[in-house]
Amino acid sequence: MAQARKPSRREVLTDGVKAAGVACLAGLSLTAYVESSRRAEARALPPPGALPHAAFLSACVRCGLCVRACPFDTLRLAELGDDAPLGTPFFIARETPCFMCADVPCARACPTGALDRDIPGIRKADMGVAVLVGHESCLNYKGITCSICHRVCPIRDEAITLEIQIIKGRRMVIPTVHSDQCTGCGTCEKHCVLGQAAIRVLPRELGLGGHGRNPAGRPA
């Protein structure tokens, strides 16, 4: 029986370097995973019926079934470098908005309840809230009646209305978002004619503002 060859010192060192490299990459991947899970960027929106952020991250198993169930390829799973926690489903309104399927197939496909499978309808989706952020760039604020965000809104005259306002002595027609009706589908942001959308769909906590950090400013 042939005796097993003893590895050379060079081979031992090479294998050690390779193992260290693999361990380093694994550590970096884990670090990236943890860091990405801590943040939710303003561009990344959750699927319809998602639980509050922390609960969603705990319940979501990154299975991708909601992504497969979406008939419009709106949803995708986050990869390293994306604006959502790694492996979680999200969409970017400026690229592809939610088309507000009446039966909410993505939520129905969720096996863990990270998305509410019993959501009564898309109007209860609560993906985010539209905010008119570009007061200096919005054409309506320049006196030009654009209002494309109002015209494309799936629930026009409920989520977005046109309101007459007097600004610096000028009568203007301004798009106004009603947060209690807005689902955060992102259609308005998608169709804004400006290079940088004047209306943005933000995570609801960011769009509406949360409690301040100053204890004196918190409600009793």
Side-chain angles (χ1 to χ4, degrees):
M1 181 177 179
Q3 185 177 3
R5 185 177 68 86
K6 183 179 181 180
S8 67
R9 184 170 182 272
R10 179 187 296 274
E11 290 172 332
V12 171
L13 290 174
T14 300
D15 290 344
V17 170
K18 288 180 179 178
V22 170
C24 181
L25 287 174
L28 289 173
S29 297
L30 178 60
T31 300
Y33 176 83
V34 171
E35 288 301 317
S36 70
S37 294
R38 289 175 178 168
R39 64 189 178 92
E41 298 292 341
R43 293 192 338 132
L45 298 170
L51 296 176
H53 185 64
F56 171 73
L57 291 182
S58 296
C60 177
V61 294
R62 282 71 167 168
C63 66
L65 291 178
C66 58
V67 175
R68 292 172 57 185
C70 176
F72 296 102
D73 295 327
T74 296
L75 298 176
R76 63 180 191 248
L77 292 181
E79 301 176 352
L80 284 175
D82 281 333
D83 292 328
L86 187 65
T88 60
F90 76 106
F91 72 100
I92 294 179
R94 189 63 163 165
E95 297 175 3
T96 310
C98 172
F99 286 83
M100 292 185 62
C101 304
D103 56 346
V104 205
C106 53
R108 312 289 186 207
C110 180
T112 67
L115 307 180
D116 182 6
R117 290 167 291 183
D118 297 321
I119 186 172
I122 193 63
R123 292 288 294 269
K124 301 297 183 181
D126 197 15
M127 295 167 275
V129 62
V131 179
L132 190 61
V133 297
H135 290 182
E136 295 183 358
S137 58
C138 176
L139 296 180
N140 287 68
Y141 275 88
K142 296 178 183 294
I144 303 171
T145 304
C146 166
S147 305
I148 184 68
C149 56
H150 169 256
R151 287 185 278 125
V152 300
C153 177
I155 43 179
R156 182 175 54 190
D157 292 327
E158 293 184 57
I160 300 181
T161 59
L162 296 178
E163 307 292 338
I164 297 174
Q165 297 183 24
I166 305 299
I167 301 175
K168 295 182 179 180
R170 298 178 61 187
R171 181 179 181 274
M172 298 181 181
V173 179
I174 303 299
T176 302
V177 176
H178 301 274
S179 61
D180 59 333
Q181 298 295 326
C182 177
T183 65
C185 71
T187 306
C188 54
E189 180 178 341
K190 167 66 177 177
H191 291 281
C192 180
V193 298
L194 300 176
Q196 294 291 331
I199 191 166
R200 295 279 311 279
V201 177
L202 305 176
R204 190 164 286 265
E205 291 182 359
L206 179 60
L208 298 180
H211 297 313
R213 294 188 178 183
N214 184 349
R218 295 178 183 172

